[in-house]
């Protein structure tokens, strides 16, 4: 019985000492917004990336239907821990001149879309290409270049700027 009393007393003293030596710590932290845009297959990444687009020479069937179209010609990857949008624009004023210098291809002939969406003409003003919530997303970009009856062969191209930003 004395042994039980000693064990009970030692246990009670241990509990009192344990209570007296415990400390409560409150921790908090802030996760800052993170957004990155990457062009697949290139080392280009950051909040803004550029892609040089060189228009291929149209085939006869392209001229007959009135446009050149390329599906998934650019693959973008968005990584973001907040809701995001990708804007697109160009600083160019035109796509270049025909070989005979009689025709200047307007940037409004360059249409693009998120794969499967609606085409819109690129402009010098940022426009929303795609948007989403947190996570990692792959975005295929389709291009369509209009070939009007005034089309002349030439070396046409455009630098396209893509930027990821908070939604």
């Amino acid at each position: 019985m004395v042994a039980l009393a000693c064990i009970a007393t030692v246990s009670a003293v241990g509990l009192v000492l344990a209570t007296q030596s415990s400390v409560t710590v409150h921790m908090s932290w802030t996760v800052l917004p993170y957004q990155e845009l990457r062009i697949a297959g290139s080392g280009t990444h950051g909040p803004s990336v550029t892609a040089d687009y060189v228009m291929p020479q149209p085939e006869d069937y392209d001229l007959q239907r009135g446009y050149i179209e390329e599906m998934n010609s650019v693959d973008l990857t968005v990584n973001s821990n907040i809701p995001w949008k990708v804007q697109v624009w160009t600083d160019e004023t035109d796509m270049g001149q025909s070989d005979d210098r009689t025709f200047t291809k307007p940037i409004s002939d360059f249409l693009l879309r998120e794969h499967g969406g609606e085409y819109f003409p690129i402009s010098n003003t940022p426009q929303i290409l795609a948007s989403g919530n947190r996570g990692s997303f792959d975005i295929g970009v389709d291009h369509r270049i209009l070939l009007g009856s005034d089309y002349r062969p030439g070396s046409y191209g455009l630098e396209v700027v893509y930027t990821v930003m908070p939604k």
Side-chain angles (χ1 to χ4, degrees):
M1 184 74 144
V2 171
L4 268 174
C6 286
I7 292 173
T9 303
V10 169
S11 295
V13 169
L15 286 174
V16 169
L17 291 176
T19 302
Q20 290 177 346
S21 64
S22 66
V23 176
T24 302
V25 177
H26 294 280
M27 293 180 60
S28 65
W29 62 88
T30 301
V31 176
L32 298 175
Y34 173 79
Q35 293 185 307
E36 180 185 65
L37 185 61
R38 180 179 301 271
I39 296 177
S42 77
T44 306
H45 63 88
S48 186
V49 295
T50 59
D52 290 321
Y53 182 82
V54 177
M55 186 179 113
Q57 293 300 316
E59 302 289 331
D60 287 340
Y61 65 89
D62 294 324
L63 293 168
Q64 289 172 357
R65 68 181 177 176
Y67 60 87
I68 296 173
E69 187 170 52
E70 293 184 82
M71 299 296 168
N72 294 310
S73 58
V74 174
D75 292 316
L76 302 173
T77 300
V78 174
N79 294 305
S80 181
N81 64 356
I82 61 174
W84 56 272
K85 64 183 174 185
V86 172
Q87 292 185 323
V88 62
W89 73 90
T90 186
D91 287 329
E92 309 288 335
T93 56
D94 59 62
M95 292 179 63
Q97 291 188 331
S98 62
D99 292 337
D100 64 7
R101 301 265 187 223
T102 62
F103 176 74
T104 300
K105 188 120 185 88
I107 61 171
S108 60
D109 284 353
F110 185 87
L111 310 176
L112 70 161
R113 68 179 180 185
E114 178 181 9
H115 185 70
E118 295 291 321
Y119 278 108
F120 59 91
I122 197 163
S123 75
N124 301 118
T125 304
Q127 300 175 79
I128 296 174
L129 173 69
S131 63
N133 291 316
R134 296 182 301 240
S136 181
F137 300 87
D138 293 323
I139 302 166
V141 181
D142 301 337
H143 294 119
R144 180 181 282 181
I145 296 95
L146 302 178
L147 306 170
S149 59
D150 56 351
Y151 173 77
R152 304 283 181 273
S155 297
Y156 303 113
L158 195 60
E159 183 177 84
V160 180
V161 180
Y162 301 92
T163 301
V164 64
M165 57 191 341
K167 195 189 262 187

